[in-house]
Amino acid sequence: MLSKKYFKTFFGSFIIAVLAICTNVAFAQDSTRNVFFEKINDTESRFFFDQNYYLVDKNCEFKSIERVAKFDKINNHFEGNFVDVAADGRRLLTGSYANGLKDGRFVAYHPNQQIKWEVTFKENKPTGFWNYYYPDGRPLLSVSFHDSTSARIVSLWDERGKLRVKQGNGKYDFRNPIDGYSQYGFSFYSMRGKIKDGVPDGAWQVYFENPQAKQSEYAADETYRDGIFLIGNNYFEDAEYTAPIFSILPYDTFYRADALVFKPCTFDDFAGFTYYLSEYFKAAFQAVRVNTPVNNDFAFEVLVRKDGSARRAKVISELPEEIHNGFQRVVQSIEYFIPSFKDGDYIDDQLTVRGKVLSGADGQLLFQTNRIERKFEQDK
């Protein structure tokens, strides 16, 4: 069985912790505010999501999923059957909730309407087999779930139809999309290694990939023993890690819909770049503990070339003395930003990044990037 620690990591990739203040949620009749959902009738509502299941305004260019569902406003959760559809009306996902928990059969669909995967949930947890399929209907992967803390890989077929993992044993090779912003420019990663009795065992390799460009870079190696993660080496960052950071099992961002977290309608938010910056600052100050409480807005300016390279980054807000200089150095260490785009081409631009920094009870600093203003991209 996969360890409880591993199982939590697998499901942790579904649910990304995002600090968000849910304001400006309104029904469609209020045109002055964002519309993340609207009533259809007395029992059903329509919710608007981007492709990663963050709520977005109904008129946002990044809206790609609409969910029709009953919603319990008192308890703030979905209830009963629902259907998710794409912009052209194609089914993407069907399922049901009981008392706000995923319950019953969930089915996801490929664009050609063949079943992509199917699983049964009981009280929010998968049970039995989670089966995946290729777009032509052939089997791809089967994972069994026996209780809330264990999962076992049963079978894996490659694109040619060859059975690579049989009855929990064999060679595993599976590609996952990278969720959110990738600082290295890759859109996928693949996990390759041995499956023994349904769990990873021995040496594993991680590759970053761009399939369309046929790019592949060796990114990391990991070591498992009977499903227990031992150690990993990230070659892009030249660092060891002692907890798994890549999911061996496939994941799907539909889990995020339950949290009802919204994003502003900007490309920086859609691409996950604002969240990436928050995590960058958090990691840089991981070992820092402040002596006095911090609750401050921050802002910095940076010139970003059309190739994304950064120069002349400067903090323009006053922060507490014990972190101001350190924050300036961290800001100057960011080598790449998403470049501005205007009139069909990338341009040089001046960016102003605004956010908030506050300290926890233990003095650790937390960061939230609120928005990125692009001076010349926004000029009309």
Side-chain angles (χ1 to χ4, degrees), residues 11-12 21 23 27 36 39 42 50 57 78 91 105 115 135 151 193 195 245 248 258 299-300 306 317 336 365:
F11 277 101
I21 302 173
T23 59
F27 289 107
F36 301 116
K39 291 186 66 174
D42 290 340
D50 68 10
D57 180 77
F78 296 110
R91 288 180 304 175
R105 186 169 179 251
I115 292 178
I195 295 294
I245 58 177
I248 289 176
D258 295 0
F300 65 89
K306 59 185 176 182
S317 59
Y336 181 87
L365 295 173

Side-chain angles (χ1 to χ4, degrees), residues 286-302:
Q286 187 70 36
V288 174
R289 296 295 183 273
V290 293
N291 297 317
T292 57
V294 174
N295 187 348
N296 293 82
D297 295 327
F298 69 77
F300 65 89
E301 292 179 348
V302 58

